[in-house]
């Protein structure tokens, strides 16, 4: 695996260079210590067994035990150092990677986003695992071969030939299979991502009879992955099988060379067995690397994805903190599109809203209302045009700081694993100030009736293993989260889609309180009766503004919405809907 000099991940690892230099030195010492069994065997055969001197045996054994203790200690130290490096690297980059992942970088494919967190585990396991030790040991294989030459030139040459043959076969086995291995890993990622998606919606797919078709689709991805693996196996079969043959033969071959030298009285019997031990040490690291190409390519792909995330994080500049906004919202000639798409779904959007005013946004399904909401809160960046709040373009704000002044209820509400209070407080650190703001948000959103019925009130745990809220309850808790901290700009995307008449009445009261506090409210709705609380109406059609102005003036211009109808709707139920 090769890292180019300009990779961000390599830059993060530069501070560990002294540790890796130390590990390389330790590997050199352990390589020398690996010679101890061979030398011990030679001495036992050629000195002890000839002289039958037990004192010499005891002395040699004591030396070997002492050196073996050092050898073992160095191996333990290597493992501990690698673990410390892997944990330290994870501590350095994991927060930035997770942050970048949730900021949805434009350059990261959707399939990669599904496995990016696993990539952190992959890199950490690689750095603290067995394979990197084999790389370090392989660096000093020439020292073992040199020791073989010191026993006898023919033994050294035989070691060199066997090791070179294993290395060449290993290289070509991965060379012919690398593209297929990479494709199998890509398809494996896609299959895993599809599997997670299907399992997340298992209840819906099962009751609607979709599961057999989805199982077959997942199996098709699995078959494709297995197909790539099989093709890789076929491509490299001749080299892999030859390598397997050499692996079975290198001990007998070295034994034959040693016996020939012994019969010609060029070496003693101890050298024969010592040489057999040496060949195991020279070939073992190369052999281990040869059997780990799939893991190596998996690590390499993880490095590429993490490097992309770190590159995006490096581009994020620290922005000047701006004061709490108190002025108007001005949207000028905005066009926008979803990420990784060039075709605009919003075109030439312009309007302005003063503090303390409510804008009702209406339009047919697909008119671009939810897209407008995402652009206004900064979830999407405009392709062109500008959005300013209190005279500052929202792109000039630090996204996290601006978020403290924004309230947002999306169409599809998702609450996170944690307590109700944590979800409402946007997971701010606990404290008296946070708790008081949570209580204020609960009162402002009028969700006390939900809280008192929960098993542990605000401390009730939500999530897969916690309490389950209905869609209407989630929507009202999301409203409390949106108004937490007295935001200056609130965007509500169909906040009443799952509410009953009482819930809508409470929503109207909350919006009135927000405007009394001089907040700007954008209310996206299909229900006509909600327009009675709006000061302005913005009608959207095909991604653009069809009309915008004072509520009564706009509704008067639309045939279906006369003031008389609006008055009637104020007493109507939530079934009345708007379609522009």
């Amino acid at each position: 695996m090769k890292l180019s000099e300009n990779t961000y991940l390599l830059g993060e690892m530069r501070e560990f260079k002294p540790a890796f230099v130390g590990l390389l030195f330790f590997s050199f010492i352990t390589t020398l210590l690996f010679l101890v069994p061979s030398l011990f065997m030679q001495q036992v055969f050629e000195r002890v067994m000839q002289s039958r001197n037990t004192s010499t045996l005891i002395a040699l054994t004591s030396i070997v035990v002492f050196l073996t203790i050092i050898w073992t200690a160095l191996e333990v130290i290597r493992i501990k150092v690698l673990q410390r490096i892997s944990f330290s690297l994870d501590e350095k980059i994991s927060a930035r990677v997770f942050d970048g992942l949730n900021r949805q970088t434009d350059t990261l494919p959707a399939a990669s986003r599904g496995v990016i967190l696993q990539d952190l585990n992959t890199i950490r396991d690689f750095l603290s695992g067995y394979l990197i030790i084999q790389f370090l040991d392989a660096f000093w294989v020439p020292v073992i071969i040199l020791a073989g030459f010191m026993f006898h030139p023919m033994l050294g040459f035989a070691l060199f030939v066997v090791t070179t043959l294993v290395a060449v076969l290993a290289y070509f086995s991965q060379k012919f299979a690398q593209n297929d291995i990479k494709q199998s890993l890509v398809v494996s990622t896609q299959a895993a991502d599809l599997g997670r998606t299907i399992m997340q919606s298992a209840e819906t797919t099962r009751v609607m009879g979709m599961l057999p078709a989805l199982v077959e689709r997942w199996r098709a991805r699995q078959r494709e992955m297995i197909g790539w693996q099989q093709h890789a196996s076929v491509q490299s079969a001749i080299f892999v099988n030859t390598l397997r043959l050499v692996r079975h033969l290198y001990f007998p071959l070295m034994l034959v060379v040693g016996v020939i030298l012994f019969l010609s009285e060029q070496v003693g019997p101890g050298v024969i067995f010592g040489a057999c031990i040496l060949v195991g040490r020279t070939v073992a690291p190369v052999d281990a690397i040869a059997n780990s190409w799939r893991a190596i390519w998996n690590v390499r792909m993880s490095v590429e994805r993490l490097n992309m995330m770190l590159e995006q994080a490096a581009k994020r500049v620290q922005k000047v903190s701006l004061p709490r906004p108190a002025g108007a919202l001005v949207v000028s000639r905005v066009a926008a599109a979803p990420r990784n798409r060039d075709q605009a779904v919003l075109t030439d959007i312009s309007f302005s809203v003063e503090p303390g005013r409510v804008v009702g946004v209406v339009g047919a399904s697909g008119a671009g209302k939810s897209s407008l909401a995402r652009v206004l809160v900064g979830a999407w960046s405009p392709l062109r045009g500008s959005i300013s709040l209190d005279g500052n373009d929202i792109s000039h704000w630090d996204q996290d700081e601006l978020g403290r002044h924004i309230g947002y209820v999306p169409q599809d509400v998702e609450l996170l694993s944690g307590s109700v209070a944590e979800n409402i407080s946007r997971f701010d650190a606990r404290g008296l100030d946070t708790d008081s703001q949570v209580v204020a948000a609960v009162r402002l959103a009028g969700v006390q009736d939900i809280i008192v019925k929960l098993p542990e009130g605000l401390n009730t745990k939500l999530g897969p293993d916690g309490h389950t809220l209905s869609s209407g309850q989630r929507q009202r808790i999301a409203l409390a989260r949106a108004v937490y901290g007295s935001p200056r700009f609130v965007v509500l995307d169909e906040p009443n889609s799952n509410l009953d008449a009482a819930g809508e009445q409470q929503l109207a009261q909350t919006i009135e309180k927000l405007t009394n506090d001089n907040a700007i409210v954008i209310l996206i709705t299909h229900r006509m009766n909600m327009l009675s609380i709006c000061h302005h109406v913005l009608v959207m059609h095909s991604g653009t503004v069809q009309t915008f102005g004072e509520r009564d003036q706009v509704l008067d211009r639309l045939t279906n919405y006369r003031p008389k109808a609006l008055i009637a709707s104020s007493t109507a139920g939530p079934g009345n809907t708007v379609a522009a």
Side-chain angles (χ1 to χ4, degrees):
M1 186 180 61
K2 182 180 179 182
L3 290 174
S4 60
E5 287 297 325
N6 61 347
T7 61
Y8 284 84
L9 189 59
L10 183 62
E12 297 294 338
M13 294 184 65
R14 283 200 178 99
E15 74 173 68
F16 305 118
K17 184 177 179 180
F20 280 109
V21 172
L23 287 170
L24 199 58
F25 175 73
F26 287 161
S27 296
F28 173 68
I29 300 300
T30 56
T31 299
L32 295 179
L33 290 171
F34 190 86
L35 300 175
V36 170
S38 298
L39 294 172
F40 178 65
M41 188 168 290
Q42 180 193 24
Q43 293 299 310
V44 168
F45 271 91
E46 297 182 3
R47 295 182 63 181
V48 176
M49 295 184 70
Q50 294 292 331
S51 65
R52 298 179 179 273
N53 189 330
T54 56
S55 299
T56 303
L57 179 61
I58 293 171
L60 288 173
T61 303
S62 300
I63 294 172
V64 168
V65 170
F66 174 72
L67 292 176
T68 303
I69 291 172
I70 296 175
W71 183 5
T72 305
L74 288 176
E75 288 187 333
V76 171
I77 290 172
R78 284 200 303 178
I79 294 172
K80 293 293 184 183
V81 170
L82 285 171
Q83 288 175 344
R84 292 286 295 273
I85 290 174
S86 66
F87 297 155
S88 297
L89 180 65
D90 185 85
E91 187 69 24
K92 282 187 68 178
I93 69 172
S94 59
R96 276 179 288 161
V97 169
F98 189 73
D99 181 83
L101 172 65
N102 286 280
R103 293 183 192 279
Q104 299 178 344
T105 63
D106 297 336
T107 55
L108 196 65
S112 295
R113 288 199 294 270
V115 297
I116 196 72
L117 294 182
Q118 185 59 40
D119 289 335
L120 288 168
N121 296 333
T122 300
I123 297 298
R124 188 177 62 249
D125 293 343
F126 170 74
L127 287 175
S128 62
Y130 171 76
L131 190 54
I132 198 167
I133 290 177
Q134 297 304 314
F135 277 107
L136 293 170
D137 287 343
F139 188 84
W140 297 112
V141 163
V143 173
I144 303 295
I145 296 175
L146 181 61
F149 277 101
M150 293 176 66
F151 278 120
H152 191 279
M154 283 298 296
L155 289 174
F157 180 74
L159 275 176
F160 174 77
V161 170
V162 171
T163 306
T164 302
L165 182 60
V166 170
V168 170
L169 291 172
Y171 171 77
F172 281 105
S173 68
Q174 72 86 27
K175 180 72 174 177
F176 281 86
Q178 64 177 353
N179 291 331
D180 295 330
I181 291 174
K182 290 172 70 175
Q183 285 296 327
S184 74
L185 290 171
V186 170
V187 176
S188 175
T189 297
Q190 293 172 349
D193 192 55
L194 176 62
R196 281 192 295 268
T197 303
I198 293 172
M199 287 187 290
Q200 287 170 357
S201 57
E203 183 178 299
T204 303
T205 57
R206 186 175 67 252
V207 300
M208 295 180 66
M210 299 164 60
L211 200 53
L214 291 173
V215 169
E216 184 55 38
R217 176 166 293 195
W218 177 78
R219 279 297 303 149
R221 293 287 175 85
Q222 290 289 101
R223 292 190 193 101
E224 185 180 357
M225 175 192 68
I226 294 170
W228 282 112
Q229 291 177 354
Q230 183 65 25
H231 193 259
S233 177
V234 171
Q235 289 287 91
S236 61
I238 185 170
F239 300 104
V240 171
N241 292 332
T242 305
L243 182 60
R244 187 174 290 115
L245 175 64
V246 172
R247 187 183 299 123
H248 292 157
L249 284 177
Y250 58 67
F251 271 113
L253 288 173
M254 288 302 298
L255 186 60
V256 168
V257 173
V259 170
I260 290 172
L261 292 174
F262 174 75
L263 293 176
S264 62
E265 299 183 351
Q266 297 184 50
V267 298
V271 173
I272 299 175
F273 298 104
C276 290
I277 295 175
L278 287 181
V279 72
R281 174 62 178 82
T282 52
V283 174
V286 180
D287 207 13
I289 294 170
N291 290 323
S292 305
W293 288 119
R294 180 177 173 84
I296 292 170
W297 283 109
N298 193 27
V299 169
R300 182 167 185 173
M301 294 173 69
S302 295
V303 167
E304 291 172 355
R305 288 189 290 261
L306 288 179
N307 193 63
M308 191 181 301
M309 296 300 301
L310 292 171
E311 183 179 1
Q312 292 295 321
K315 292 178 180 177
R316 190 179 174 214
V317 297
Q318 188 70 30
K319 296 183 179 181
V320 175
S321 295
L322 296 172
R324 181 177 173 83
L329 171 73
V330 179
V331 181
S332 177
R333 310 296 300 271
V334 165
R339 294 179 182 275
N340 301 319
R341 282 180 52 186
D342 296 327
Q343 185 176 2
V345 295
L346 298 178
T347 56
D348 202 24
I349 303 290
S350 297
F351 64 94
S352 62
V353 191
E354 293 296 323
R357 311 292 281 179
V358 183
V359 176
V361 180
V362 297
S365 296
K369 303 184 298 297
S370 293
S371 297
L372 176 62
R374 294 186 182 99
V375 173
L376 291 178
V377 299
W380 289 3
S381 298
L383 297 175
R384 58 182 177 273
S386 64
I387 302 172
S388 65
L389 185 61
D390 195 18
N392 294 303
D393 194 296
I394 62 170
S395 64
H396 298 167
W397 288 78
D398 177 86
Q399 190 175 45
D400 297 331
E401 289 187 7
L402 177 61
R404 310 307 298 177
H405 309 305
I406 288 179
Y408 179 42
V409 177
Q411 256 190 9
D412 300 317
V413 173
E414 292 290 343
L415 299 178
L416 303 176
S417 295
S419 69
V420 174
E422 286 174 324
N423 274 274
I424 293 175
S425 69
R426 310 184 187 188
F427 288 85
D428 278 350
R430 288 291 307 274
L432 291 177
D433 184 57
T434 300
D435 291 347
S436 63
Q437 290 191 68
V438 167
V439 173
V442 167
R443 290 173 178 167
L444 179 57
V447 295
Q448 299 95 322
D449 58 323
I450 295 177
I451 303 300
V452 297
K453 294 177 183 178
L454 294 177
E456 298 179 60
L458 285 167
N459 299 308
T460 302
K461 297 294 182 182
L462 305 178
D465 300 322
H467 188 79
T468 301
L469 299 176
S470 69
S471 55
Q473 289 175 322
R474 288 199 307 272
Q475 208 159 37
R476 293 182 64 191
I477 294 298
L479 178 63
R481 179 179 63 185
V483 301
Y484 171 82
S486 301
R488 298 293 83 203
F489 176 40
V490 180
V491 178
L492 308 175
D493 189 358
E494 299 286 353
N496 57 334
S497 59
N498 296 302
L499 301 185
D500 55 16
E504 277 198 350
Q505 184 178 5
Q506 183 58 59
L507 172 64
Q509 293 174 4
T510 300
I511 292 175
E512 183 179 0
K513 292 175 183 176
L514 288 169
T515 55
N516 290 339
D517 195 32
N518 240 20
I520 297 169
V521 180
I522 305 295
L523 173 62
I524 298 171
T525 184
H526 275 103
R527 294 184 178 177
M528 181 178 176
N529 58 314
M530 294 303 296
L531 297 182
S532 62
I533 63 173
C534 298
H535 302 95
H536 308 279
V537 173
L538 186 151
V539 182
M540 295 195 66
H541 178 70
S542 299
T544 190
V545 175
Q546 182 174 341
T547 185
F548 172 73
E550 294 288 338
R551 179 195 62 198
D552 293 341
Q553 294 176 1
V554 171
L555 296 184
D556 192 44
R557 288 200 296 269
L558 299 175
T559 305
N560 293 333
Y561 305 113
R562 295 293 181 184
K564 206 180 287 185
L566 178 62
I567 295 169
S569 73
S570 64
T571 59
N576 294 308
T577 59
V578 172

